Amino acid sequence: MFKNYLKIVWRNLKRNKGYFAINIGGLAVGIMVTMLIGLWISAELSFNTYHENYDKIAQVWQHQTYSGNRETQNSIPAPLGPELENNYKGDFKHVVMSSYTWEHILSKDDKKLTEKGNYMDVDAPEMLSLNMLNGNRDGLKEINSIFLSESLAKSFFGTQDPIGQVVELDNELNVVVKGVYEDLPNSSEFSEVMFIAPWKLYTSSFDWVNSAIENPQWDDNSYQLYVQIADNTNFETVNKKIKNVKYDKLDTSQKALKTEVFLHPMADWHLKSTWENGVQTGGFIKYVRLFGIIGFFVLLLACVNFMNLSTANSVKRNIEIGVRKSVGSNKGQLVNQFLSESIVIVLISFCVAILMVLLALPFFNQLADKQIEFPYNSLIFWLICIASILFVGLLAGSYPALYLSSFKPVKVLKGTFKAGSSGTVFRKVLVVWQFTVSVILIVGTIIVREQIEHSKERPLGYDKEGLVIIEISTSDYEGKYNLLRNELKNRNAIVEMAQSSSPLTAAFNSNDGFSWEGKDPNFNAEFANFYITHDYGKTVDWEIVEGRDFSREFSTDSTAYVINEAAVKHMGIENPVGKIIKWGNSEHKIIGVVKDILSESPYNSVKHAIYMIDYVYNVNYIELKLNPDKSVSESLSIIEDVFTEYVPAVPFEYQFVDQNYAEKFAEMERIGKLSGIFSLLAIFISCLGLIGLASFMADQRTKEIGIRKVLGASVMNLWGMLSKDFIGLVLISVLIATPIAWYFMNQWLENYTYRTEISWWIFAFAGMAALLITVLTVSYQAIRAAISDPVKSLRTE
């Protein structure tokens, strides 16, 4: 019986090549989109699963209350690690203190490389289940040891055995290579870690770190802490135990922060790391859900196409169905036949979709910034595919099978059978649904693009053009600021130079404990702190709105503050210039107010900030304003020569501020491009359906068109007659889609403090685009029918 079904499918395919091409093409595109989205979602959901114990690993975070708002951060004080390790032994298998992942200089003979790495406790390799290619996981027990990633080891030693080799870290510390581990994949949060050095080396080499542990500084949140909980417990239980571990150590003045420590599971790091007022509100998971919904609807569009075209094509098969019923076929057999046809078509479409995915995957990876590989060897993947083929085949074929098998054989064979109006109404409903989804996707894509462009045009508070930053990664720069600045200015490579604690596109430091006249005692204010040199304002070209900038002419400026407009509003003071801010036991005069500088997310509000002078302890970056009268390459060449002369032990590396700022939009732009492509493919699927339906309607009205032409109807009259129904359906789609799209996109924009407005023209553009696409799609079939020879269509009359 099944063999007979296959023969019938093959004969129908040969007889109706156009119909099957449209059906297979639409389904193949829908399956391709769904498969690509599925692979992308799988990659996102499997983040960090490289680490064997990822479901037991967590990072220690904390909630604190500032100015009535509950804020969440992953920075913790150094004493917290030993506290958990010593007093909660039964709850943790591993407790790993860690520095931040920074760039460091590694040297071997004349070779110097700048690579990112961490200082971590000795249990880190075991906790992260590093795949050791040389050495073993306990190699960090020696204080002067280091683990290198496979790629870094090859860069230094080539094919030589790296074990036992000595490298210099940050031009200060000699360390011995005790292990080489396999490069961590991009799907790991630690993928950028090219080396791991012992935490004890960090604490013994830098006095401020050792002091923070030996004389516990519970208010200095400058470190990272990772843990692996014991096998016999869970995160919820441990969270209850450690909740107040830091709070109990704080002095009375600090208890107002209402600090709570908690574990943030590794399984949530990538997708669920956003908090608002102390409550986890998601994160990147919203885009995973979004594209999951898009994939589902695109596949559903393809299934709707199949239903539409199958029922529309039913008239051509009514004789076949009548004959089959007359010779004894029952409804069940006909349903099985049509469902079998559907599954075969889906199977063919699936094979075509696989080829399309293989061709599209390199481009998709580049667009999505992923390294997704086709899962040839995944049994689960193929089982899902088989299940999907059956599901889609049954879903797409169910209505046509039931509809076609319900034809009455007597009426069909007499020639008196006419498809009921219910089939026509159903097809119209499906077309409306298809274009409603398409218009919603068009509107969503435009609004995402508008949000990105709106944020790009946001005032920065500084001039990013011609700004270069250089990270100060070692002590080799100490005492050389004026030498570098004077030499670069004398050689006309720069306009100005400054140093700071954070790059212009980030805010690494923040502190609380500030007070001023009129401050509410219960108001615990936290400010972003920027340690800068006197020439910072001139270098970045910030705008002073009140008072003055820092100046070397005033010795008192070494203890003075410049604050931003957001800080003035936050403090609730008028005429801030000249006011005193107390911090600890020191007093600082406000000498100026600067226009808000956008240093973090371009979508959120600017942090209230304090700028203060520091030339020694907290400066980590050099800012250079290039001379606009010279070419960029010429200026950089001079800068490299000067830095090589004065800081020869440090490789010369730099970044452009405008490029760093552009990276803040990279994720959103990827989301916008992906949604745009999927929207176009959804419209393409809808258009394939329109082509098929338009062709069907033209065939059904062939004799009518012939009569109208004989009676004098013009091509335009006939084109309008055949097109108006579709145009009306699309207009209904636009009316339905508009409020739905507005509601959901307005909800999405609520996630951003700085957001664009949803303008009427977006819906007008989407509607006009849908209408234009419809007219162009339908016109070919309509005009072809309108210009056909009426003699041929009326020959049988």
Side-chain angles (χ1 to χ4, degrees):
M1 184 65 72
F2 184 69
K3 184 178 179 181
N4 183 52
Y5 291 162
L6 289 178
K7 284 183 179 179
I8 295 170
V9 172
W10 178 247
R11 289 168 183 166
N12 283 324
L13 191 151
K14 290 174 68 176
R15 190 182 308 121
N16 300 294
K17 295 184 182 67
Y19 159 76
F20 276 98
I22 290 174
N23 248 341
I24 291 171
L27 278 172
V29 172
I31 293 169
M32 178 196 70
V33 170
T34 305
M35 194 176 293
L36 286 173
I37 290 176
L39 292 173
W40 180 79
I41 289 176
S42 176
E44 296 297 333
L45 294 178
S46 61
F47 226 83
N48 289 319
T49 55
Y50 172 88
H51 306 287
E52 294 173 4
N53 304 302
Y54 81 101
D55 57 338
K56 289 287 185 179
I57 297 173
Q59 186 177 17
V60 181
W61 287 46
Q62 60 178 325
H63 300 302
Q64 293 181 301
T65 301
Y66 295 100
S67 311
N69 292 320
R70 200 77 170 141
E71 297 188 8
T72 306
Q73 63 185 52
N74 60 10
S75 302
I76 55 92
L80 185 56
E83 178 71 18
L84 296 183
E85 188 172 21
N86 296 330
N87 298 324
Y88 298 85
K89 292 183 177 180
D91 298 300
F92 298 104
K93 190 172 184 178
H94 299 297
V95 177
V96 175
M97 285 297 301
S98 174
S99 65
Y100 284 93
T101 303
W102 296 111
E103 287 189 343
H104 299 264
I105 297 171
L106 290 98
S107 310
K108 176 65 178 176
D109 300 327
D110 294 332
K111 194 164 196 173
K112 295 181 182 293
L113 297 174
T114 302
E115 298 288 350
K116 289 184 176 181
N118 281 47
Y119 291 94
M120 303 183 83
D121 268 326
V122 294
D123 286 349
E126 185 67 31
M127 184 183 75
L128 299 177
S129 55
L130 297 184
N131 181 16
M132 302 303 298
L133 305 177
N134 297 88
N136 52 62
R137 290 177 180 173
D138 61 0
L140 291 180
K141 290 181 179 179
E142 297 182 26
I143 192 170
N144 287 332
S145 59
I146 192 171
F147 281 2
L148 303 181
S149 67
E150 181 183 9
S151 58
L152 181 55
K154 285 182 179 178
S155 297
F156 266 125
F157 306 109
T159 58
Q160 295 180 5
D161 183 6
I163 301 299
Q165 297 277 4
V166 177
V167 296
E168 191 175 39
L169 182 58
D170 290 331
N171 298 326
E172 296 178 11
L173 305 171
N174 288 321
V175 290
V176 180
V177 178
K178 291 292 184 178
V180 176
Y181 59 89
E182 179 184 56
D183 285 357
L184 295 172
N186 286 343
S187 58
S188 167
E189 295 288 345
F190 296 96
S191 61
E192 293 186 332
V193 177
M194 294 292 104
F195 72 86
I196 301 174
W199 173 255
K200 286 185 178 179
L201 177 62
Y202 190 51
T203 59
S204 63
S205 303
F206 302 101
D207 293 338
W208 69 87
V209 183
N210 187 55
S211 175
I213 299 173
E214 296 298 326
N215 304 303
Q217 297 174 15
W218 287 94
D219 59 346
D220 180 10
N221 301 307
S222 302
Y223 310 94
Q224 306 268 280
L225 176 57
Y226 303 96
V227 298
Q228 181 180 329
I229 60 174
D231 295 335
N232 60 349
T233 189
N234 56 63
F235 293 119
E236 185 178 358
T237 301
V238 177
N239 278 336
K240 290 178 181 177
K241 291 183 179 181
I242 68 172
K243 178 180 177 180
N244 295 317
V245 64
K246 179 184 174 183
Y247 177 84
D248 294 338
K249 301 291 184 180
L250 296 173
D251 58 37
T252 304
S253 63
Q254 291 290 317
K255 288 186 183 295
L257 296 174
K258 300 177 183 178
T259 302
E260 289 183 7
V261 170
F262 69 98
L263 303 181
H264 184 34
M266 178 181 267
D268 289 347
W269 291 358
H270 180 61
L271 298 176
K272 299 177 183 177
S273 287
T274 301
W275 271 265
E276 289 183 14
N277 206 23
V279 177
Q280 191 181 64
T281 56
F284 197 76
I285 187 67
K286 63 186 176 185
Y287 295 115
V288 172
R289 292 169 181 154
L290 171 66
F291 283 112
I293 293 170
I294 289 176
F296 173 76
F297 275 106
V298 169
L299 183 60
L300 206 55
L301 283 174
C303 293
V304 165
N305 257 6
F306 184 90
M307 292 181 186
N308 244 345
L309 294 174
S310 296
T311 54
N313 197 53
S314 61
V315 175
K316 294 182 178 180
R317 301 188 66 179
N318 55 11
I319 301 297
E320 173 196 343
I321 296 164
V323 171
R324 287 183 176 278
K325 279 196 168 187
S326 66
V327 297
S329 291
N330 59 39
K331 184 172 181 178
Q333 289 174 323
L334 290 172
V335 167
N336 289 335
Q337 176 193 328
F338 291 124
L339 286 178
S340 298
E341 286 186 19
S342 173
I343 291 172
V344 169
I345 292 172
V346 172
L347 179 60
I348 296 171
S349 302
F350 176 80
C351 294
V352 174
I354 290 286
L355 294 175
M356 294 168 69
V357 167
L358 292 174
L359 292 173
L361 202 52
F363 168 75
F364 182 78
N365 278 330
Q366 184 179 8
L367 187 64
D369 193 26
K370 292 290 178 185
Q371 294 180 338
I372 300 171
E373 296 180 355
F374 193 84
Y376 295 101
N377 301 321
S378 173
L379 177 61
I380 294 176
F381 171 78
W382 292 111
L383 289 175
I384 291 173
C385 287
I386 293 171
S388 299
I389 290 171
L390 294 174
F391 173 75
V392 173
L394 294 173
L395 176 66
S398 57
Y399 179 77
L402 294 171
Y403 177 74
L404 295 174
S405 62
S406 67
F407 289 176
K408 302 296 183 184
V410 175
K411 290 185 177 180
V412 169
L413 295 176
K414 280 185 175 181
T416 59
F417 171 79
K418 291 184 179 179
S421 61
S422 61
T424 304
V425 171
F426 183 71
R427 287 194 293 274
K428 288 182 177 181
V429 169
L430 292 182
V431 169
V432 168
W433 183 85
Q434 280 184 307
F435 272 89
T436 297
V437 173
S438 299
V439 170
I440 290 172
L441 289 175
I442 293 172
V443 170
T445 301
I446 295 173
I447 291 176
V448 170
R449 173 53 52 187
E450 283 298 297
Q451 172 65 11
I452 294 171
E453 294 303 319
H454 179 70
S455 300
K456 282 184 176 181
E457 295 172 0
R458 184 177 183 179
L460 299 181
Y462 64 91
D463 181 12
K464 66 180 185 297
E465 300 302 322
L467 269 178
V468 172
I469 58 171
I470 298 172
E471 185 175 354
I472 301 174
S473 53
T474 73
S475 59
D476 295 84
Y477 289 91
E478 287 183 14
K480 297 179 180 178
Y481 172 77
N482 287 325
L483 289 172
L484 291 168
R485 177 173 175 267
N486 292 337
E487 183 66 19
L488 290 172
K489 293 190 74 173
N490 288 338
R491 296 178 65 172
N492 293 320
I494 64 169
V495 175
E496 194 51 88
M497 168 177 157
Q499 289 179 323
S500 64
S501 56
S502 300
L504 274 161
T505 52
F508 292 154
N509 306 90
S510 62
N511 285 290
D512 60 353
F514 297 93
S515 61
W516 55 89
E517 184 179 352
K519 175 181 175 290
D520 185 342
N522 298 319
F523 184 72
N524 200 332
E526 182 189 38
F527 292 83
N529 299 151
F530 293 89
Y531 300 92
I532 61 175
T533 53
H534 286 85
D535 307 297
Y536 184 82
K538 295 177 183 176
T539 304
V540 305
D541 195 22
W542 69 10
E543 182 181 346
I544 299 291
V545 293
E546 289 186 57
R548 62 176 178 83
D549 200 346
F550 291 110
S551 173
R552 289 186 174 84
E553 296 180 5
F554 301 94
S555 59
T556 54
D557 279 9
S558 60
T559 60
Y561 284 168
V562 168
I563 63 176
N564 67 355
E565 292 175 308
V568 175
K569 294 176 184 176
H570 186 65
M571 296 167 67
I573 58 177
E574 296 181 0
N575 303 316
V577 175
K579 298 287 177 65
I580 300 296
I581 295 179
K582 294 182 180 180
W583 190 24
N585 298 320
S586 58
E587 294 186 351
H588 306 269
K589 180 187 289 188
I590 300 173
I591 61 170
V593 176
V594 68
K595 201 169 188 64
D596 287 339
I597 287 182
L598 183 61
S599 57
E600 294 191 301
S601 171
Y603 308 111
N604 297 330
S605 55
V606 175
K607 278 189 173 181
H608 22 279
I610 295 176
Y611 298 86
M612 56 193 79
I613 296 295
D614 190 338
Y615 277 82
V616 181
Y617 298 108
N618 294 295
V619 285
N620 302 309
Y621 293 88
I622 294 173
E623 285 84 16
L624 301 169
K625 184 69 170 181
L626 301 183
N627 187 347
D629 296 330
K630 287 183 179 290
S631 68
V632 173
S633 58
E634 184 181 0
S635 295
L636 289 175
S637 177
I638 296 171
I639 294 168
E640 182 176 7
D641 291 342
V642 172
F643 272 75
T644 302
E645 178 182 351
Y646 287 99
V647 198
V650 180
F652 177 70
E653 295 183 349
Y654 62 90
Q655 297 176 352
F656 286 101
V657 172
D658 57 353
Q659 292 178 354
N660 287 353
Y661 182 71
E663 288 177 4
K664 292 179 179 291
F665 300 95
E667 181 180 289
M668 278 283 286
E669 287 182 328
R670 280 196 296 272
I671 297 298
K673 288 176 182 177
L674 287 173
S675 61
I677 289 173
F678 294 145
S679 299
L680 288 174
L681 291 175
I683 294 167
F684 173 74
I685 293 170
S686 299
C687 288
L688 284 180
L690 278 184
I691 291 171
L693 287 177
S695 176
F696 164 75
M697 289 184 66
D699 288 344
Q700 286 296 97
R701 303 176 74 172
T702 300
K703 290 182 173 58
E704 177 190 348
I705 293 169
I707 293 170
R708 287 180 179 274
K709 288 195 73 174
V710 169
L711 295 176
S714 67
V715 171
M716 285 303 295
N717 293 144
L718 295 173
W719 172 82
M721 178 189 73
L722 293 172
S723 301
K724 67 180 181 180
D725 286 345
F726 291 105
I727 292 173
L729 294 178
V730 172
L731 286 174
I732 293 171
S733 301
V734 173
L735 292 175
I736 296 172
T738 296
I740 297 174
W742 181 90
Y743 174 78
F744 283 107
M745 294 312 298
N746 189 61
Q747 291 293 310
W748 177 73
L749 288 173
E750 289 293 330
N751 294 315
Y752 303 100
T753 304
Y754 190 82
R755 54 182 178 265
T756 188
E757 296 293 328
I758 301 179
S759 302
W760 64 269
W761 69 264
I762 296 175
F763 301 98
F765 176 84
M768 292 298 295
L771 281 172
L772 180 61
I773 291 168
T774 301
V775 170
L776 293 175
T777 303
V778 174
S779 289
Y780 169 73
Q781 296 292 350
I783 293 174
R784 191 181 71 167
I787 63 176
S788 62
D789 187 354
V791 174
K792 293 181 180 180
S793 61
L794 298 175
R795 183 176 296 160
T796 59
E797 296 300 318

